[in-house]
Amino acid sequence: MEDSPTMTLTTERVAAALEQRLAQGTYSPGDLVPSAGDLSAEFGVAVGTARRALALLDARGTTIGGGQGRRRRFADKDQGTDLATAFDRIRAHITNGMHPSGTDLPSEADLVAATGFSRYAVREALAELERIGVLVNRPGRRRQVAGDYEAATARYEQIVSAIRDDVWQGRLAPGARTPTELALCERFEMSRVTVRRALAELEKMGVLVRDEAGRRIVA
């Protein structure tokens, strides 16, 4: 369903406010961008509207990063342009069959040499391609161009890996309740089905358990 004119105006208002703050020096390139939840509370808009505003800033090259537990940052305009172009270039090579499904992608160094973009732009472009499921990146293996099955598997594995790291590094202490499914959906920008699959896997691994009330807690 298309956005209504009112929704479009509201989305633009939120995006324009952040761009104005960046221009006025309230934010500087490299600063973290407020989350969709923070923007929702500040501007009194729905979280979905805030997410659309963030996506609009991504498209304009004002912000970079995001997804898979990575926070967006305000971009240097040159970096934002390079990132968008590197993303389009690598995705085009996948779409036109230069890198077929199931094959290893060239290394970051090879892609830097082939595209002429900075390692930073290439790395961020690859991270975005992973976030949307075009690439698969599993520990100890080279990035691969994903088919439908591999992409779905990789998405839930990313959540498993991130939460397990949170536990091992003490960000989630034993006995602590895990974030809600909705919070995890927003953090990883993935569906509730994918989040539930990851949580179920973490329970099977013994990283999470259920308390007497049936709530998930860290084992």
Side-chain angles (χ1 to χ4, degrees), residues 156-179:
Y156 98 85
E157 286 180 347
Q158 289 160 10
I159 301 174
V160 170
S161 178
I163 294 178
R164 190 169 52 191
D165 286 347
D166 285 345
V167 172
W168 287 348
Q169 295 179 22
R171 291 188 290 268
L172 283 174
R177 289 183 60 183
T178 59

Side-chain angles (χ1 to χ4, degrees), residues 14-115:
V14 175
L18 292 179
E19 287 177 323
Q20 184 178 24
R21 292 174 189 176
L22 181 63
Q24 293 174 341
T26 304
Y27 297 120
S28 300
D31 287 351
L32 289 172
V33 179
S35 69
D38 290 339
L39 294 174
S40 171
E42 178 181 355
F43 289 94
V45 299
V47 172
T49 301
R51 287 176 180 159
R52 281 187 287 273
L54 292 173
L56 184 59
L57 292 171
D58 288 344
R60 292 174 176 172
T62 304
T63 55
I64 53 177
Q68 301 177 9
R70 296 154 55 90
R71 288 284 300 278
R72 284 180 177 84
R73 293 182 182 273
F74 288 100
D76 179 280
K77 275 298 184 181
D78 290 337
Q79 286 183 337
T81 301
D82 281 355
L83 171 58
T85 310
F87 173 85
D88 289 340
R89 180 82 57 83
I90 297 169
R91 183 171 60 175
H93 287 172
I94 293 169
T95 302
N96 67 23
M98 185 180 295
H99 306 304
S101 295
T103 62
D104 288 347
L105 200 68
S107 67
E108 287 183 3
D110 289 340
L111 289 170
V112 168
T115 63

Side-chain angles (χ1 to χ4, degrees), residues 132-136 138 146-156 158:
I132 65 177
V134 173
L135 298 179
V136 176
R138 294 192 176 100
D148 291 342
Y149 173 78
E150 290 84 2
T153 301
R155 283 193 288 270
Y156 98 85
Q158 289 160 10

